[in-house]
Amino acid sequence: MLNKLIANTENVITESLNTYFRLTDFLSNASSTYVPRSKADLISSYSNYIQSLPPCTTQEETVSTKDNSIRHIPNIIQLCCQCIEQLEGHKIKGIYRLSGVKSKVDYLCRQFVQGVELHETDLINNYSAIVLANAVKKYLRELPVPLLLIVDSPDSSHALQTELMHIGKEICVSSNQVSPRINDRLRQILEQRVSCHARQALCHLLQHLHLISLSEQENQMSAANLGIV
C-alpha cells in the first residue's frame, strides 16, 4: 500500500512539474513580456494556457475564405460522444450516472491532454461506453472556465439570476413547454454571455445528451436526470 501511495505521489509530482514548465514555456513564448503579478493574473494566464493544450485542439470547417469563424469542439467531447453512440451507450441503464474504472478514465484523459492521436477504433476497442462517459464528465468538471458560464458573480449578475429563476418557474408551470418568447430570450442570453467556441461545444454535447434522453425508458436517464449529473 505504501509503495502504491509513493507511486501515485510521484505521478502527481511529475504531472505538476510538467504543467509548471509547460506554462512557463507558454508564457515565455507569448507575444509580450507579460508576467502575472497576482493570483487573478495567474488564473487568467493558466486559463489561456489550458485553452492552448491538445484537448482544445479543434475540428475546423471552413465555410469560405472570407469567413473567419471556426467550429471549435474539444476532441475529447467530439470523439467520446461519437464512440458512446456507436457502442450503443444510450441502451445502458444509468449511463452518465454510473462510475467507470478510475484508472482507465484518468489514463484516457491524460492521453487527450498530452496530445496523443486517438481514433474512434482506439476508443471503441479499448474502452467501454461508461468509461468514455466518465471521461467527458471529468473533462467538463476540470475546465478552468465552465462550458456554460452565464453568471460570473453574484453581485454583478443578480438581475440575470433573478430572470433565469423566473424563466425556470415559468417553464415548470407550463409542464416543460418552452414558448418562442422564452426560447428567444434564452438564445439571446447564451449569445451574450457564452463565447462562440463554448456555444459550439455546448451544442454538440447537448445534441448527444438529447439522443441519450430519447431512450430514457431503457436507460432511465431522462433530461432531468442528465441535468442533475
Side-chain angles (χ1 to χ4, degrees):
M1 185 180 292
L2 281 174
N3 286 332
K4 185 177 180 181
L5 288 172
I6 291 170
N8 288 340
T9 303
E10 288 176 344
N11 289 335
V12 170
I13 292 172
T14 301
E15 289 184 9
S16 299
L17 286 172
N18 283 336
T19 300
Y20 169 78
F21 285 114
R22 286 178 182 174
L23 176 56
T24 303
D25 182 66
F26 173 77
L27 290 175
S28 64
N29 292 327
S31 56
S32 65
T33 56
Y34 165 75
V35 176
R37 301 290 182 184
S38 65
K39 181 180 177 181
D41 289 344
L42 184 59
I43 290 173
S44 176
S45 299
Y46 184 70
S47 174
N48 292 333
Y49 160 71
I50 288 294
Q51 299 302 324
S52 74
L53 286 176
C56 292
T57 54
T58 61
Q59 304 294 330
E60 299 187 4
E61 294 182 359
T62 306
V63 179
S64 68
T65 54
K66 294 182 179 179
D67 186 4
N68 293 324
S69 62
I70 298 176
R71 184 184 181 194
H72 287 245
I73 299 176
N75 287 337
I76 189 170
I77 292 181
Q78 189 170 46
L79 204 53
C80 286
C81 289
Q82 289 174 355
C83 292
I84 290 170
E85 293 168 12
Q86 290 191 34
L87 290 168
E88 297 188 330
H90 60 282
K91 295 182 179 180
I92 298 176
K93 184 177 179 181
I95 185 71
Y96 278 103
R97 187 180 64 231
L98 298 174
S99 298
V101 180
K102 187 178 185 300
S103 58
K104 288 189 174 183
V105 174
D106 291 343
Y107 179 72
L108 177 59
C109 288
R110 196 155 53 241
Q111 283 187 302
F112 276 106
V113 170
Q114 293 171 352
V116 177
E117 188 175 352
L118 297 172
H119 303 282
E120 288 185 12
T121 52
D122 299 323
L123 301 190
I124 290 174
N125 293 334
N126 296 301
Y127 300 98
S128 67
I130 294 175
V131 168
L132 296 177
N134 276 267
V136 173
K137 290 196 298 182
K138 178 180 172 65
Y139 171 80
L140 293 173
R141 286 171 178 162
E142 294 181 354
L143 281 175
V145 178
L147 192 62
L148 187 58
L149 181 64
I150 292 181
V151 180
D152 305 279
S153 66
D155 298 328
S156 62
S157 305
H158 179 71
L160 181 59
Q161 289 186 71
T162 303
E163 182 182 5
L164 289 173
M165 287 292 292
H166 286 312
I167 290 175
K169 290 177 181 178
E170 189 172 337
I171 293 175
C172 184
V173 170
S174 61
S175 302
N176 293 328
Q177 297 298 316
V178 183
S179 68
R181 177 183 58 80
I182 292 179
N183 204 26
D184 290 341
R185 178 55 184 148
L186 289 174
R187 182 179 288 108
Q188 183 183 29
I189 291 173
L190 285 175
E191 289 176 351
Q192 291 174 348
R193 309 287 296 190
V194 181
S195 72
C196 176
H197 301 165
R199 287 203 307 273
Q200 292 286 358
L202 183 64
C203 182
H204 188 87
L205 179 66
L206 291 180
Q207 286 175 347
H208 165 73
L209 295 178
H210 175 64
L211 183 65
I212 298 293
S213 71
L214 292 177
S215 301
E216 68 170 292
Q217 295 298 327
E218 192 169 1
N219 59 37
Q220 296 186 2
M221 293 303 290
S222 63
N225 288 340
L226 287 168
I228 293 172
V229 171

